Each structure stands twice: as structure tokens, then as C-alpha cells.
Amino acid sequence: SFCFLSSESFNTIDFACIARMCMFEPSYPTQHPSTRSPHIKSYARVFEGDEYQLRRRFGVEKAEETLSWSMLTSACLSRGAQGEATPHRPEDSDEMNFTNFELGVLFISRLSTDTLSNRVYCWKPSKCRCARHFQNEDSIVKMIHLPLPYRLRPHAYVQNEEEEAELCETPYFHEIPSGSGFIRNMRLTPLGASLAAKRF
């Protein structure tokens, strides 16, 4: 459960963003003997829908998790990596400024009438459908296992999204400057609530 921020930075984040933060939980079986959070940036859209229809219409095999897409990248969510609108640009322009060079690989699941190119990226498929086992089964969707080092549905820091919700755990902060540990968002954390109680 790592959040590499100072408490000052954490205090400026909108609560709607904090409510979506999750704790790091290693995948099981673990892909690495260490349970530390890996230094990677990855984003994924986990399929949320009627998996029965996927199996019925396209022959998709069962998997523990099915991904619409997944991206492994060096790009964090900073303005330098994601870009920001160029100052004073014309209204009809989509010109952006980027200050970082980033690299990434995007894995996109594909289902269509062309069964030879159909593929679904997933976590722990029930059967191996990789290339070497797939040559004589062109009517079945390729199930490609992505060895992700973390659980795709981890526990959230916030148990509900009410405005007064409290975090069930204190995120890790690399520093807590003096006077910032018990104000604003920090008061939602167990540590911040404890510091505020001692102060007042």
C-alpha cells in the first residue's frame, strides 16, 4: 500500500480522486517472491459486464479477470507525461505541451467476426490458448494471460464514498512536513485523526 506523496500534496487532492485509491495487493499466485509494490505504471480497464454473452457469442473461455485493455508504460499522471493545453492556443486547436518522453505498450482485446484475429487479454484463464496451443482451434478466441504483479480488484482505502468517509488505512507518505499531518485530507486517515485528537 504505497502512495509516494508528501502529506502536503495529499491534502490538495480532490476527495473524489482519493475515494478511488486502492491498496497494493500482490497477485496470487505471486509473480515474484517479493510482495513489494513494483516500480511500474500500468492502467487497465477490467471487463464489467455479462461474461455469459462473451462466451455464447464469441466462445470466450472463463478467466479470473477479463481485460478490455491494459497498458504498461513509463507515463505517470503528471502534466509533463499526459500533457497540458498550450497557453493562448486558438479555441478550435487541440495543441498540447509535453515535457517528458514516455514509452508504453498497449494490449487491446479484440472480438469480431474475423475469428483468426480475435484475442482477449486476461488474468488466469481456465485453459491455455496461447499461440503454441492454438494452431488447430481457430474457432476459439485466443486467451492471452498477462502476468500482472497485483490484484485487479484490491481493497480501497475508503470503504464508502460519503463526504465524511474515513480511510481505513493510512497511505504511505515519504514525508509529513510539520503542521500538515492533521489538516484537510490528512484528517481522513487514521494517522491524521490521531494527530488531530492529540493537538486539540
Side-chain angles (χ1 to χ4, degrees), residues 110-162:
R110 182 179 191 278
L111 293 171
S112 70
T113 54
D114 178 13
T115 57
L116 289 176
S117 63
N118 282 350
R119 63 186 177 273
V120 171
Y121 290 96
C122 61
W123 165 251
K124 288 176 72 176
S126 59
K127 294 181 183 176
C128 179
R129 298 288 181 196
C130 56
R132 68 175 182 269
H133 294 102
F134 191 70
Q135 294 170 4
N136 299 320
E137 299 184 59
D138 58 3
S139 64
I140 298 176
V141 174
K142 292 177 188 169
M143 299 296 288
I144 304 170
H145 171 70
L146 288 181
L148 300 170
Y150 51 81
R151 284 187 56 202
L152 287 165
R153 298 179 196 269
H155 292 95
Y157 277 114
V158 179
Q159 296 303 308
N160 56 63
E161 294 190 26
E162 297 174 9

